[in-house]
Amino acid sequence: MRFAGMGNLLKVLTREIENYPHFFLDFENAQPTDGEREVWNQISAVLQDSESMLADLQAYKGAGQEIRDAIQNPNDIQLQEKAWNSVCPLVVRLKRFYEFSLRLEKALQSLLESLTCPPYTPTQHLEREQALAKEFAEILHFTLRFDELKMRNPAIQNDFSYYRRTISRNRINNMHLDIENEVNNEMANRMSLFYAEATPMLKTLSNATTHFVSENKTLPIENTTDCLSTMASVCKVMLETPEYRSRFTSEETLMFCMRVMVGVIILYDHVHPVGAFSKTSKIDRLQPLSPLNAEHKRAGSCTQPLFPSPILMVSLPFPEKPPGKNKRSQLLSSTERWQLLFSLWSTQSLLSPSNTYVRNIQ
């Protein structure tokens, strides 16, 4: 299959790199200043649990066999109890993930408040408050990793569906189970909406950003969207400027920077009124392609994708309709969007099997 204008996939940015902010955002060693410390401590308290959440999610095996046995043998009380006893601790684990998303939501809003407030511009904020910018990047990186693991594990929704069906059946029979003290009906409803999303953590960040904008009506929306576009541009500049790139002490930081660049573009596309794919957007539609393609050529062989194709497919939504006839020409065509997705998907081999981030998501 050949796309029209396939050559565009290999083009570099149409905007010159000189037009982007030029400074090194130290993802490895940034330390909070006195002015950042209070917010930094709040965010750090949340992020310190992120790796355990990912490890717990990665180890999630589900109770598929026990549930199947119980469904196939509805009159076997022993199998019913076995399935129920297998599902209950898993539901408690799923509650922990959901509650962590609420903490992450509050953390992001605190970060946005610090990184968008006057009198500084987004570029000045990111350059002056690098420890907070680093925490913002870590939230984005965690979000992509969590959602990838969730998408690859259908047992999560199967287990939770079985739990809800069993609770509903027992409620009809006027039975109350101890687990309802841990996960009551209201909590179960909220968890159900969370896990129904293909990318629940990304949805959480999107909602948090949208809520932040709506709650701060005196703050122009551009302050928030410019913060996101500036972060993406800074990552691109660091990846394409040899002087900055050479300051990364490990390959893992390079991969981290690439993921953050694409992650922040995905978030921008979710929260901006016309998305990242408007031709008037401050994020060039080909922004991630040149550093990703360059790294693809440098790596040489195909082993692991930097981003799994499913997460990109669901994370870059197409608008249901253009914002008006006069703006129709400003939006990318569906073909252009699919070209970007195809290029990101085909940029494989950016991570070797020995890379930490690959091991964390396999």
Side-chain angles (χ1 to χ4, degrees), residues 77-134:
I77 302 301
Q78 187 175 359
L79 289 177
Q80 303 303 313
E81 291 181 350
K82 182 179 179 181
W84 181 248
N85 292 333
S86 298
V87 165
C88 284
L90 295 175
V91 170
V92 174
R93 191 188 304 186
L94 294 178
K95 181 188 175 185
R96 286 184 59 239
F97 298 150
Y98 170 71
E99 290 177 333
F100 185 77
S101 77
L102 301 181
R103 296 172 61 199
L104 204 66
E105 183 175 10
K106 292 180 180 178
L108 179 62
Q109 291 181 351
S110 296
L111 273 178
L112 289 174
E113 185 175 353
S114 296
L115 294 174
T116 60
C117 63
Y120 300 117
T121 65
T123 299
Q124 290 171 328
H125 272 297
L126 292 174
E127 187 171 12
R128 291 165 56 95
E129 299 156 37
Q130 295 215 357
L132 295 185
K134 179 175 180 285

Side-chain angles (χ1 to χ4, degrees), residues 170-226:
N170 289 331
R171 192 175 293 117
I172 292 174
N173 296 328
N174 295 319
M175 295 176 61
H176 179 84
L177 301 174
D178 291 340
I179 185 65
E180 292 186 80
N181 297 325
E182 180 79 25
V183 181
N184 59 29
N185 190 53
E186 180 184 355
M187 173 62 75
N189 288 337
R190 286 188 275 135
M191 289 172 60
S192 181
L193 292 174
F194 176 75
Y195 287 110
E197 296 288 341
T199 53
M201 284 295 176
L202 179 63
K203 182 66 174 178
T204 296
L205 297 196
S206 175
N207 289 344
T209 307
T210 303
H211 182 72
F212 172 79
V213 171
S214 63
E215 288 294 306
N216 294 272
K217 299 186 184 300
T218 59
L219 188 70
I221 187 174
E222 289 79 12
N223 285 37
T224 304
T225 55
D226 285 358

Side-chain angles (χ1 to χ4, degrees), residues 43-79:
I43 310 304
S44 181
V46 176
L47 287 173
Q48 69 181 3
D49 295 329
S50 62
E51 288 300 323
S52 66
M53 292 291 163
L54 291 172
D56 206 8
L57 179 57
Q58 188 172 11
Y60 190 103
K61 300 303 181 184
Q65 186 59 53
E66 292 85 350
I67 291 173
R68 283 191 293 272
D69 291 342
I71 291 175
Q72 292 169 2
N73 302 275
N75 297 322
D76 191 322
I77 302 301
Q78 187 175 359
L79 289 177

Side-chain angles (χ1 to χ4, degrees), residues 2-12 286 289 293 339 343:
R2 185 173 180 178
F3 289 106
M6 180 63 78
N8 286 336
L9 290 173
L10 302 178
K11 288 182 180 178
V12 296
L286 298 179
L289 298 191
N293 283 331
Q339 286 176 352
S343 182

Side-chain angles (χ1 to χ4, degrees), residues 223-239:
N223 285 37
T224 304
T225 55
D226 285 358
C227 177
L228 302 179
S229 61
T230 302
M231 174 72 100
S233 298
V234 168
C235 289
K236 174 186 166 50
V237 168
M238 290 197 298
L239 290 167

